[in-house]
Amino acid sequence: MRSPEYEFEEPLVELRRRIEELEAYPEGSGHSKEISKLQKELSKKTKEVYGGLTRWQKTLVARHGDRPHTLDYVSHLMEDWVEVHGDRCFGDDPAIVTGFATFRGRSVAVIGHEKGRGTKERIYRNFAQPRPEGYRKALRIMRLAEKFGLPVLTFIDTAGAYPGIGAEERGQAEAIARNLIEMAALKVPIIVTVTGEGGSGGALALGVGNRVFILEYATYSVISPEGCAAILWKDQTRKKEAAEALRLAAPDLLELGVVDRILPEPAGGAHTDTVSMCQRVGDVIYQALEELQGLTTEELIADRARKFRGMGVFN
């Protein structure tokens, strides 16, 4: 039996243990009714626990290693996937995956952060912390998508851009700023989905879209709770307090107008049912594409400008 991923999951552990014990018995041993009863109880308890999570607890769920990543969405939603590598300037950055695919009958460009599975792949992907070549690769794909009239789908899941010396030397800030400028004026629809952790400019460099969606337990913030606590109070142990102050959870972002829609996750988080979560995301993206396909180029750009210029304005 797996141990609880987080402290708040402890009430669910005993129920899981009892279910696993009963499932280990041979079929026909008369435990099916008890298993069914416990599963219903577990489902109810999971909804109660996950329905009352604090902002810090939601941050932990957003970081869960088994949450669906960009390549999971590609695998479950796309056909004819062709990955494109390299920025034609310095090299390839595995922290961002880019390519072209067919999505429910439409040709699309896909760009997203990729954290990978297991220690070896996570190191290879640099834990989804992109370097400048990653953002320049993304921009290269966006320009190709514009040239051929293809919608752009982006998937955000990163703690932030990589802050290493090499990345800074190769123009990290310029690469991010360039993406913001180019995405604002791109002549094709852009649909953004925050699937996990949306951290700072490293996330926003893929985040300027006509529609911005966020998963129920995902987060989107200018800084991590730990970073905020370290700067404000010189004390990372106040990260829970920082998470509350940042208002980085999906309901906060919807209220502030940063995102357009919250996508409900399965009970216990997206990592408990990847297939179902991918299908939900696919349905919402398809609906958004249907809404945007009738807009002219000028209307798409104006729609994007209106959306982002309206953020941070208070009466």
Side-chain angles (χ1 to χ4, degrees):
M1 183 198 70
R2 67 188 181 95
S3 59
E5 296 286 349
Y6 312 113
E7 183 180 343
F8 58 82
E9 274 198 327
E10 288 182 0
L12 311 176
V13 173
E14 179 61 21
L15 288 170
R16 291 176 181 149
R17 183 188 66 78
R18 289 163 61 189
I19 291 171
E20 289 177 7
E21 285 181 352
L22 292 174
E23 287 178 336
Y25 284 94
E27 290 187 17
S29 54
H31 293 92
S32 58
K33 289 185 178 180
E34 181 65 16
I35 291 173
S36 178
K37 178 182 175 182
L38 289 172
Q39 286 174 335
K40 289 180 181 178
E41 187 178 348
L42 176 61
S43 177
K44 179 181 177 182
K45 192 66 177 177
T46 299
K47 289 178 181 178
E48 290 176 359
V49 170
Y50 275 78
L53 297 181
T54 65
R55 291 181 176 90
W56 170 247
Q57 290 169 338
K58 288 179 179 179
T59 301
L60 295 178
V61 178
R63 295 172 176 173
H64 196 289
D66 292 332
R67 285 180 76 83
H69 300 155
T70 297
L71 290 178
D72 294 310
Y73 290 103
V74 168
S75 174
H76 288 90
L77 297 176
M78 314 290 175
E79 298 176 345
D80 308 318
W81 166 247
V82 178
E83 187 171 353
V84 178
H85 298 271
D87 66 345
R88 290 190 172 179
C89 179
F90 179 82
D92 186 50
D93 184 359
I96 290 182
V97 294
T98 65
F100 298 97
T102 302
F103 170 68
R104 301 189 180 180
R106 282 189 177 90
S107 294
V108 296
V110 180
I111 302 167
H113 300 99
E114 179 57 45
K115 288 184 173 179
R117 308 284 182 202
T119 303
K120 186 175 181 179
E121 188 182 0
R122 286 173 183 168
I123 292 172
Y124 169 69
R125 300 283 183 186
N126 202 35
F127 302 91
Q129 296 181 82
R131 299 174 172 88
E133 48 270 26
Y135 296 116
R136 290 174 179 139
K137 174 173 67 171
L139 180 55
R140 175 189 165 203
I141 300 309
M142 292 180 206
R143 287 171 172 165
L144 285 172
E146 182 179 61
K147 179 178 180 180
F148 295 108
L150 306 179
V152 175
L153 311 181
T154 73
F155 297 90
I156 291 175
D157 186 11
T158 181
Y162 185 61
I165 293 175
E168 296 297 337
E169 288 175 341
R170 296 194 296 278
Q172 185 74 286
E174 188 278 336
I176 292 172
R178 176 62 55 189
N179 277 25
L180 301 182
I181 294 170
E182 298 277 354
M183 291 185 81
L186 210 68
K187 298 176 182 178
V188 293
I190 306 174
I191 298 176
V192 177
T193 308
V194 183
T195 62
E197 199 175 7
S200 193
L204 190 58
L206 303 185
V208 181
N210 297 92
R211 299 289 184 271
V212 179
F213 305 127
I214 188 168
L215 271 60
E216 183 178 3
Y217 300 122
T219 60
Y220 201 16
S221 174
V222 69
I223 194 171
S224 69
E226 295 93 332
C228 177
I231 291 172
L232 290 183
W233 303 299
K234 304 295 188 290
D235 183 3
Q236 284 197 20
T237 63
R238 297 178 69 176
K239 57 194 175 187
K240 296 180 182 179
E241 183 180 348
E244 293 298 316
L246 284 168
R247 298 186 68 189
L248 44 60
D252 302 316
L253 299 163
L254 184 64
E255 180 184 344
L256 293 168
V258 176
V259 300
D260 299 303
R261 182 171 174 178
I262 298 172
L263 310 188
E265 298 188 26
H271 55 280
T272 63
D273 192 346
T274 294
V275 174
S276 172
M277 191 70 252
C278 288
Q279 289 304 315
R280 291 184 193 184
V281 170
D283 291 343
V284 173
I285 290 176
Y286 179 81
Q287 181 183 349
L289 287 174
E290 289 286 293
E291 294 171 358
L292 295 171
Q293 69 175 355
L295 300 183
T296 65
T297 296
E298 292 74 19
E299 288 171 335
L300 283 170
I301 295 173
D303 172 74
R304 220 173 292 140
R306 184 168 52 250
K307 174 182 180 59
F308 281 84
R309 290 190 180 190
M311 293 181 189
V313 177
F314 298 89
N315 294 322

